Amino acid sequence: MADTKTTEVSANRSFGGWQKRFSHQSNVLNCQMHFSVYLPPAAELGEPLPVVYWLSGLTCTDENFVTKAGAQRVASELGLILVMPDTSPRGEDVPDADDKAYDLGLGAGFYVNATQAPWNKHYRMYDYIVDELPSLIQQRFNVQPKAAIAGHSMGGHGALMIALSNVKRFSSVSAFSPIVNPMDCPWGEKAFSHYLGEDTSQWQQYDSCELMRQQGQFLQLPMLIDQGLADDFYQNQKLAKPLELIAQETNYPAEFRYHEGYDHSYFFISSFIEDHLRFHAKHLSA
Amino acid sequence: MADTKTTEVSANRSFGGWQKRFSHQSNVLNCQMHFSVYLPPAAELGEPLPVVYWLSGLTCTDENFVTKAGAQRVASELGLILVMPDTSPRGEDVPDADDKAYDLGLGAGFYVNATQAPWNKHYRMYDYIVDELPSLIQQRFNVQPKAAIAGHSMGGHGALMIALSNVKRFSSVSAFSPIVNPMDCPWGEKAFSHYLGEDTSQWQQYDSCELMRQQGQFLQLPMLIDQGLADDFYQNQKLAKPLELIAQETNYPAEFRYHEGYDHSYFFISSFIEDHLRFHAKHLSA
């Protein structure tokens, strides 16, 4: 059956599988979008494969992880499909920050459903990641129903927040250098006040610390978090640590690892992505 | 001893070692240059380590291989220092192709010493790679005297041509999708006619096929060449294959591998770079 909703725009052989890029019209985001997919060699054998969604950070597109993380080697070995969405709606009709700031607007969707004008017409990344994209993936590829989700920085926030809000959809979650408490850090406060307005009670549903505090004892997912200690944003954006404190309070069995000398870059991600994919593969097959 | 000739401009922790970038004033190229170095964890143990030089292809800088090849993981394990130079002289004073073509001038030095104006003032990449850069590396880092050399496309040409011209300096050479016969392909003919003039007898010293034909029986280096069969440039730039025919004529024990479905991109390089680094490590320690 021909799939009319997604168009393959590139395909590169990689570690015996295929690194592909697709475009499609997003009904949720009201614009043309791209996403990338790695298909391991096992995708040609006919059995449904597990999927790991990767959510990228500020300024990224669907391509940064694809070119820089070195994840295909491990996904090839483990038989994982990797799905990399973009980080915001795109296109000339989509509003951007007035000053083209890197931390608001294009490349900075923060994985929320905006309620405020002018953002609310396109910036509905939560629904895109939770509903529309998985539907497209299930329609186009032979995948298992449960997935894993991971991300970096703003995408670490997205992965944790989406997993904590949809615990039955995911078998595990992991993050590098995640924004865990967007209600109480400069990046999060800026984005949430623009996208969600000044009523902070509307922010809580998108704050991983709040979500874990509310649900921690009841709904638990395997969780792995890596944080570099030479990361310039570690202190001033309150990455990782606030969530660890709540995990301790709520006896949430998350593993937090802190790495001397590592920074916020893809050099950090590439050094430890293998651990994350092996972690997800174990829980996906459990 | 403080090193006054090279300045460290960035350092990122990577696989337990360091991915660094340096700038320096090149006497040979008559301009400011950058190069990148990966230092594996073993660099902190005090013993001299083997070096693998990586020469990149058209349009690249010293950074493409650093971010896209996934080589640090393997170099970390094997205790190899990786050195990535830029692909041409750089700066506002350095002439570029009149039409800013990607295959002449900036980003397209072709690893030769230009003899023709306006190129001859800066475009002396052969001397830079063979003499100036190794001197800087030996001065700044604790390295073994023999090195390995590898590269991609134009850089595959550079690696093979430089190794064949300096067999006692290198323990092994490898290439991905190399231009092997620049005297007889569009990229090479264009570059060589501009840099070296119309007298093709001056071109032979930089043509790997010519060099192997002249020396093949006498001076042999371990050689590994990977070529993708879905590479758009494979046929029309005569990559890899002409050298294999001469290797067969001269009984040169080179290994040529052809890969179904792989193209000219870094997805191809990253899929097989581990094989190349293990090949070099074996011969560097022999």
mmCIF file of all heavy atoms in Angstrom, chain B residues 216-249:
data_model
loop_
_atom_site.group_PDB
_atom_site.id
_atom_site.type_symbol
_atom_site.label_atom_id
_atom_site.label_comp_id
_atom_site.label_asym_id
_atom_site.label_seq_id
_atom_site.Cartn_x
_atom_site.Cartn_y
_atom_site.Cartn_z
ATOM 1 N N GLY B 216 55.493 0.383 -7.575
ATOM 2 C CA GLY B 216 54.682 -0.680 -6.994
ATOM 3 C C GLY B 216 55.447 -1.904 -6.542
ATOM 4 O O GLY B 216 55.239 -2.416 -5.447
ATOM 5 N N GLN B 217 56.381 -2.371 -7.390
ATOM 6 C CA GLN B 217 57.046 -3.626 -7.039
ATOM 7 C C GLN B 217 58.047 -3.458 -5.891
ATOM 8 O O GLN B 217 58.423 -4.419 -5.244
ATOM 9 C CB GLN B 217 57.796 -4.213 -8.237
ATOM 10 C CG GLN B 217 56.919 -4.514 -9.433
ATOM 11 C CD GLN B 217 56.986 -3.404 -10.481
ATOM 12 O OE1 GLN B 217 56.925 -2.218 -10.130
ATOM 13 N NE2 GLN B 217 57.127 -3.782 -11.736
ATOM 14 N N PHE B 218 58.505 -2.229 -5.679
ATOM 15 C CA PHE B 218 59.643 -2.026 -4.784
ATOM 16 C C PHE B 218 59.267 -1.567 -3.381
ATOM 17 O O PHE B 218 59.797 -2.042 -2.395
ATOM 18 C CB PHE B 218 60.610 -1.009 -5.410
ATOM 19 C CG PHE B 218 60.891 -1.284 -6.849
ATOM 20 C CD1 PHE B 218 60.453 -0.446 -7.848
ATOM 21 C CD2 PHE B 218 61.581 -2.442 -7.216
ATOM 22 C CE1 PHE B 218 60.709 -0.726 -9.179
ATOM 23 C CE2 PHE B 218 61.844 -2.732 -8.549
ATOM 24 C CZ PHE B 218 61.399 -1.863 -9.539
ATOM 25 N N LEU B 219 58.359 -0.628 -3.323
ATOM 26 C CA LEU B 219 58.041 0.009 -2.046
ATOM 27 C C LEU B 219 56.563 -0.199 -1.755
ATOM 28 O O LEU B 219 55.717 0.396 -2.408
ATOM 29 C CB LEU B 219 58.357 1.512 -2.130
ATOM 30 C CG LEU B 219 59.812 1.844 -2.429
ATOM 31 C CD1 LEU B 219 59.940 3.283 -2.895
ATOM 32 C CD2 LEU B 219 60.662 1.607 -1.196
ATOM 33 N N GLN B 220 56.283 -1.065 -0.805
ATOM 34 C CA GLN B 220 54.874 -1.394 -0.572
ATOM 35 C C GLN B 220 54.465 -1.104 0.861
ATOM 36 O O GLN B 220 55.191 -1.416 1.800
ATOM 37 C CB GLN B 220 54.632 -2.862 -0.922
ATOM 38 C CG GLN B 220 54.885 -3.128 -2.409
ATOM 39 C CD GLN B 220 54.557 -4.528 -2.831
ATOM 40 O OE1 GLN B 220 54.635 -5.464 -2.042
ATOM 41 N NE2 GLN B 220 54.197 -4.696 -4.098
ATOM 42 N N LEU B 221 53.293 -0.500 0.984
ATOM 43 C CA LEU B 221 52.718 -0.181 2.293
ATOM 44 C C LEU B 221 51.408 -0.948 2.446
ATOM 45 O O LEU B 221 50.669 -1.075 1.471
ATOM 46 C CB LEU B 221 52.353 1.304 2.354
ATOM 47 C CG LEU B 221 53.374 2.315 2.807
ATOM 48 C CD1 LEU B 221 52.762 3.712 2.711
ATOM 49 C CD2 LEU B 221 53.807 2.040 4.243
ATOM 50 N N PRO B 222 51.066 -1.385 3.662
ATOM 51 C CA PRO B 222 49.717 -1.921 3.870
ATOM 52 C C PRO B 222 48.682 -0.868 3.463
ATOM 53 O O PRO B 222 48.787 0.303 3.854
ATOM 54 C CB PRO B 222 49.676 -2.191 5.375
ATOM 55 C CG PRO B 222 51.113 -2.392 5.762
ATOM 56 C CD PRO B 222 51.887 -1.458 4.874
ATOM 57 N N MET B 223 47.717 -1.277 2.651
ATOM 58 C CA MET B 223 46.765 -0.331 2.054
ATOM 59 C C MET B 223 45.358 -0.923 2.057
ATOM 60 O O MET B 223 45.169 -2.057 1.631
ATOM 61 C CB MET B 223 47.209 -0.034 0.612
ATOM 62 C CG MET B 223 46.380 0.989 -0.126
ATOM 63 S SD MET B 223 46.988 1.222 -1.844
ATOM 64 C CE MET B 223 48.531 2.095 -1.565
ATOM 65 N N LEU B 224 44.396 -0.145 2.547
ATOM 66 C CA LEU B 224 42.989 -0.571 2.593
ATOM 67 C C LEU B 224 42.136 0.514 1.952
ATOM 68 O O LEU B 224 42.235 1.679 2.324
ATOM 69 C CB LEU B 224 42.548 -0.771 4.052
ATOM 70 C CG LEU B 224 41.059 -1.002 4.302
ATOM 71 C CD1 LEU B 224 40.578 -2.303 3.652
ATOM 72 C CD2 LEU B 224 40.755 -1.008 5.810
ATOM 73 N N ILE B 225 41.296 0.108 0.987
ATOM 74 C CA ILE B 225 40.453 1.082 0.291
ATOM 75 C C ILE B 225 39.005 0.591 0.267
ATOM 76 O O ILE B 225 38.735 -0.542 -0.139
ATOM 77 C CB ILE B 225 40.973 1.332 -1.135
ATOM 78 C CG1 ILE B 225 42.314 2.067 -1.034
ATOM 79 C CG2 ILE B 225 39.964 2.131 -1.961
ATOM 80 C CD1 ILE B 225 43.016 2.302 -2.327
ATOM 81 N N ASP B 226 38.089 1.447 0.724
ATOM 82 C CA ASP B 226 36.654 1.151 0.702
ATOM 83 C C ASP B 226 35.964 2.055 -0.301
ATOM 84 O O ASP B 226 36.218 3.263 -0.331
ATOM 85 C CB ASP B 226 36.040 1.383 2.097
ATOM 86 C CG ASP B 226 36.193 0.180 3.007
ATOM 87 O OD1 ASP B 226 36.163 -0.951 2.498
ATOM 88 O OD2 ASP B 226 36.353 0.378 4.231
ATOM 89 N N GLN B 227 35.095 1.463 -1.099
ATOM 90 C CA GLN B 227 34.366 2.232 -2.107
ATOM 91 C C GLN B 227 32.888 1.825 -2.088
ATOM 92 O O GLN B 227 32.585 0.635 -2.140
ATOM 93 C CB GLN B 227 34.963 1.945 -3.497
ATOM 94 C CG GLN B 227 34.221 2.601 -4.647
ATOM 95 C CD GLN B 227 34.268 4.122 -4.567
ATOM 96 O OE1 GLN B 227 35.328 4.720 -4.424
ATOM 97 N NE2 GLN B 227 33.103 4.759 -4.627
ATOM 98 N N GLY B 228 32.009 2.801 -2.012
ATOM 99 C CA GLY B 228 30.573 2.527 -2.102
ATOM 100 C C GLY B 228 30.135 2.402 -3.557
ATOM 101 O O GLY B 228 30.559 3.187 -4.404
ATOM 102 N N LEU B 229 29.267 1.436 -3.822
ATOM 103 C CA LEU B 229 28.833 1.217 -5.209
ATOM 104 C C LEU B 229 27.636 2.084 -5.590
ATOM 105 O O LEU B 229 27.268 2.147 -6.757
ATOM 106 C CB LEU B 229 28.522 -0.267 -5.428
ATOM 107 C CG LEU B 229 29.773 -1.159 -5.384
ATOM 108 C CD1 LEU B 229 29.389 -2.634 -5.456
ATOM 109 C CD2 LEU B 229 30.752 -0.802 -6.502
ATOM 110 N N ALA B 230 27.034 2.763 -4.613
ATOM 111 C CA ALA B 230 25.969 3.728 -4.928
ATOM 112 C C ALA B 230 26.497 5.161 -4.832
ATOM 113 O O ALA B 230 25.721 6.109 -4.712
ATOM 114 C CB ALA B 230 24.790 3.536 -3.975
ATOM 115 N N ASP B 231 27.790 5.304 -4.916
ATOM 116 C CA ASP B 231 28.467 6.608 -4.868
ATOM 117 C C ASP B 231 28.318 7.279 -6.237
ATOM 118 O O ASP B 231 28.797 6.745 -7.244
ATOM 119 C CB ASP B 231 29.945 6.344 -4.536
ATOM 120 C CG ASP B 231 30.788 7.593 -4.463
ATOM 121 O OD1 ASP B 231 30.400 8.621 -5.044
ATOM 122 O OD2 ASP B 231 31.860 7.517 -3.833
ATOM 123 N N ASP B 232 27.663 8.436 -6.263
ATOM 124 C CA ASP B 232 27.412 9.133 -7.538
ATOM 125 C C ASP B 232 28.702 9.497 -8.278
ATOM 126 O O ASP B 232 28.677 9.754 -9.477
ATOM 127 C CB ASP B 232 26.624 10.433 -7.292
ATOM 128 C CG ASP B 232 25.181 10.159 -6.911
ATOM 129 O OD1 ASP B 232 24.689 9.057 -7.220
ATOM 130 O OD2 ASP B 232 24.563 11.036 -6.291
ATOM 131 N N PHE B 233 29.805 9.578 -7.551
ATOM 132 C CA PHE B 233 31.060 9.987 -8.173
ATOM 133 C C PHE B 233 31.947 8.800 -8.581
ATOM 134 O O PHE B 233 32.998 8.983 -9.182
ATOM 135 C CB PHE B 233 31.846 10.899 -7.220
ATOM 136 C CG PHE B 233 31.075 12.119 -6.798
ATOM 137 C CD1 PHE B 233 30.609 12.248 -5.500
ATOM 138 C CD2 PHE B 233 30.814 13.141 -7.701
ATOM 139 C CE1 PHE B 233 29.890 13.366 -5.104
ATOM 140 C CE2 PHE B 233 30.094 14.266 -7.318
ATOM 141 C CZ PHE B 233 29.631 14.379 -6.014
ATOM 142 N N TYR B 234 31.512 7.610 -8.227
ATOM 143 C CA TYR B 234 32.344 6.423 -8.451
ATOM 144 C C TYR B 234 32.754 6.283 -9.917
ATOM 145 O O TYR B 234 33.945 6.132 -10.234
ATOM 146 C CB TYR B 234 31.582 5.185 -7.971
ATOM 147 C CG TYR B 234 32.220 3.863 -8.279
ATOM 148 C CD1 TYR B 234 33.579 3.632 -8.056
ATOM 149 C CD2 TYR B 234 31.453 2.804 -8.794
ATOM 150 C CE1 TYR B 234 34.149 2.401 -8.333
ATOM 151 C CE2 TYR B 234 32.025 1.578 -9.058
ATOM 152 C CZ TYR B 234 33.371 1.382 -8.845
ATOM 153 O OH TYR B 234 33.921 0.159 -9.127
ATOM 154 N N GLN B 235 31.788 6.387 -10.826
ATOM 155 C CA GLN B 235 32.098 6.201 -12.251
ATOM 156 C C GLN B 235 32.725 7.453 -12.856
ATOM 157 O O GLN B 235 33.795 7.385 -13.462
ATOM 158 C CB GLN B 235 30.814 5.854 -13.028
ATOM 159 C CG GLN B 235 30.131 4.563 -12.590
ATOM 160 C CD GLN B 235 30.908 3.303 -12.947
ATOM 161 O OE1 GLN B 235 31.813 3.337 -13.770
ATOM 162 N NE2 GLN B 235 30.570 2.193 -12.303
ATOM 163 N N ASN B 236 32.085 8.609 -12.659
ATOM 164 C CA ASN B 236 32.519 9.754 -13.468
ATOM 165 C C ASN B 236 33.785 10.419 -12.941
ATOM 166 O O ASN B 236 34.446 11.154 -13.669
ATOM 167 C CB ASN B 236 31.378 10.762 -13.695
ATOM 168 C CG ASN B 236 30.971 11.476 -12.432
ATOM 169 O OD1 ASN B 236 31.432 11.130 -11.351
ATOM 170 N ND2 ASN B 236 30.122 12.472 -12.562
ATOM 171 N N GLN B 237 34.159 10.158 -11.681
ATOM 172 C CA GLN B 237 35.447 10.654 -11.191
ATOM 173 C C GLN B 237 36.472 9.517 -11.100
ATOM 174 O O GLN B 237 37.568 9.708 -10.565
ATOM 175 C CB GLN B 237 35.290 11.342 -9.829
ATOM 176 C CG GLN B 237 34.352 12.544 -9.833
ATOM 177 C CD GLN B 237 34.901 13.743 -10.593
ATOM 178 O OE1 GLN B 237 36.090 13.808 -10.933
ATOM 179 N NE2 GLN B 237 34.025 14.716 -10.876
ATOM 180 N N LYS B 238 36.083 8.345 -11.572
ATOM 181 C CA LYS B 238 36.990 7.183 -11.617
ATOM 182 C C LYS B 238 37.640 6.901 -10.267
ATOM 183 O O LYS B 238 38.864 6.788 -10.153
ATOM 184 C CB LYS B 238 38.052 7.388 -12.706
ATOM 185 C CG LYS B 238 37.436 7.580 -14.089
ATOM 186 C CD LYS B 238 38.498 7.784 -15.156
ATOM 187 C CE LYS B 238 37.833 8.100 -16.504
ATOM 188 N NZ LYS B 238 38.782 8.524 -17.522
ATOM 189 N N LEU B 239 36.794 6.803 -9.250
ATOM 190 C CA LEU B 239 37.294 6.578 -7.889
ATOM 191 C C LEU B 239 37.766 5.130 -7.740
ATOM 192 O O LEU B 239 37.198 4.206 -8.330
ATOM 193 C CB LEU B 239 36.191 6.885 -6.873
ATOM 194 C CG LEU B 239 35.562 8.281 -6.969
ATOM 195 C CD1 LEU B 239 34.490 8.453 -5.890
ATOM 196 C CD2 LEU B 239 36.611 9.380 -6.853
ATOM 197 N N ALA B 240 38.782 4.928 -6.936
ATOM 198 C CA ALA B 240 39.241 3.608 -6.448
ATOM 199 C C ALA B 240 39.713 2.640 -7.540
ATOM 200 O O ALA B 240 40.863 2.178 -7.526
ATOM 201 C CB ALA B 240 38.165 2.948 -5.578
ATOM 202 N N LYS B 241 38.844 2.305 -8.483
ATOM 203 C CA LYS B 241 39.071 1.186 -9.404
ATOM 204 C C LYS B 241 40.373 1.264 -10.217
ATOM 205 O O LYS B 241 41.083 0.240 -10.330
ATOM 206 C CB LYS B 241 37.873 1.081 -10.353
ATOM 207 C CG LYS B 241 37.751 -0.276 -11.025
ATOM 208 C CD LYS B 241 37.184 -1.298 -10.053
ATOM 209 C CE LYS B 241 37.205 -2.705 -10.613
ATOM 210 N NZ LYS B 241 36.713 -3.675 -9.626
ATOM 211 N N PRO B 242 40.710 2.423 -10.806
ATOM 212 C CA PRO B 242 41.958 2.449 -11.606
ATOM 213 C C PRO B 242 43.183 2.039 -10.787
ATOM 214 O O PRO B 242 44.105 1.408 -11.315
ATOM 215 C CB PRO B 242 42.060 3.911 -12.065
ATOM 216 C CG PRO B 242 40.651 4.421 -12.047
ATOM 217 C CD PRO B 242 39.992 3.726 -10.888
ATOM 218 N N LEU B 243 43.193 2.374 -9.499
ATOM 219 C CA LEU B 243 44.328 1.988 -8.662
ATOM 220 C C LEU B 243 44.333 0.488 -8.408
ATOM 221 O O LEU B 243 45.403 -0.137 -8.337
ATOM 222 C CB LEU B 243 44.290 2.757 -7.330
ATOM 223 C CG LEU B 243 45.568 2.673 -6.499
ATOM 224 C CD1 LEU B 243 46.726 3.404 -7.200
ATOM 225 C CD2 LEU B 243 45.358 3.258 -5.100
ATOM 226 N N GLU B 244 43.148 -0.099 -8.287
ATOM 227 C CA GLU B 244 43.088 -1.547 -8.070
ATOM 228 C C GLU B 244 43.704 -2.290 -9.251
ATOM 229 O O GLU B 244 44.418 -3.285 -9.073
ATOM 230 C CB GLU B 244 41.637 -2.000 -7.863
ATOM 231 C CG GLU B 244 41.549 -3.468 -7.456
ATOM 232 C CD GLU B 244 40.132 -3.976 -7.286
ATOM 233 O OE1 GLU B 244 39.203 -3.358 -7.850
ATOM 234 O OE2 GLU B 244 39.967 -4.989 -6.591
ATOM 235 N N LEU B 245 43.450 -1.785 -10.471
ATOM 236 C CA LEU B 245 43.997 -2.446 -11.659
ATOM 237 C C LEU B 245 45.525 -2.390 -11.647
ATOM 238 O O LEU B 245 46.194 -3.374 -11.971
ATOM 239 C CB LEU B 245 43.429 -1.795 -12.927
ATOM 240 C CG LEU B 245 41.899 -1.880 -13.043
ATOM 241 C CD1 LEU B 245 41.410 -1.162 -14.298
ATOM 242 C CD2 LEU B 245 41.427 -3.337 -13.029
ATOM 243 N N ILE B 246 46.068 -1.247 -11.211
ATOM 244 C CA ILE B 246 47.528 -1.133 -11.153
ATOM 245 C C ILE B 246 48.094 -1.979 -10.001
ATOM 246 O O ILE B 246 49.161 -2.581 -10.124
ATOM 247 C CB ILE B 246 47.939 0.344 -11.035
ATOM 248 C CG1 ILE B 246 47.511 1.077 -12.309
ATOM 249 C CG2 ILE B 246 49.443 0.481 -10.808
ATOM 250 C CD1 ILE B 246 47.586 2.567 -12.210
ATOM 251 N N ALA B 247 47.359 -2.044 -8.905
ATOM 252 C CA ALA B 247 47.791 -2.908 -7.804
ATOM 253 C C ALA B 247 47.884 -4.365 -8.270
ATOM 254 O O ALA B 247 48.812 -5.092 -7.898
ATOM 255 C CB ALA B 247 46.825 -2.770 -6.620
ATOM 256 N N GLN B 248 46.930 -4.754 -9.091
ATOM 257 C CA GLN B 248 46.964 -6.127 -9.622
ATOM 258 C C GLN B 248 48.172 -6.321 -10.549
ATOM 259 O O GLN B 248 48.887 -7.309 -10.450
ATOM 260 C CB GLN B 248 45.647 -6.442 -10.344
ATOM 261 C CG GLN B 248 44.476 -6.595 -9.375
ATOM 262 C CD GLN B 248 43.117 -6.587 -10.049
ATOM 263 O OE1 GLN B 248 43.001 -6.308 -11.240
ATOM 264 N NE2 GLN B 248 42.080 -6.869 -9.273
ATOM 265 N N GLU B 249 48.417 -5.330 -11.431
ATOM 266 C CA GLU B 249 49.572 -5.394 -12.341
ATOM 267 C C GLU B 249 50.889 -5.513 -11.588
ATOM 268 O O GLU B 249 51.806 -6.223 -12.003
ATOM 269 C CB GLU B 249 49.669 -4.102 -13.165
ATOM 270 C CG GLU B 249 48.757 -3.988 -14.348
ATOM 271 C CD GLU B 249 48.869 -2.578 -14.952
ATOM 272 O OE1 GLU B 249 49.948 -1.952 -14.849
ATOM 273 O OE2 GLU B 249 47.845 -2.106 -15.486
#
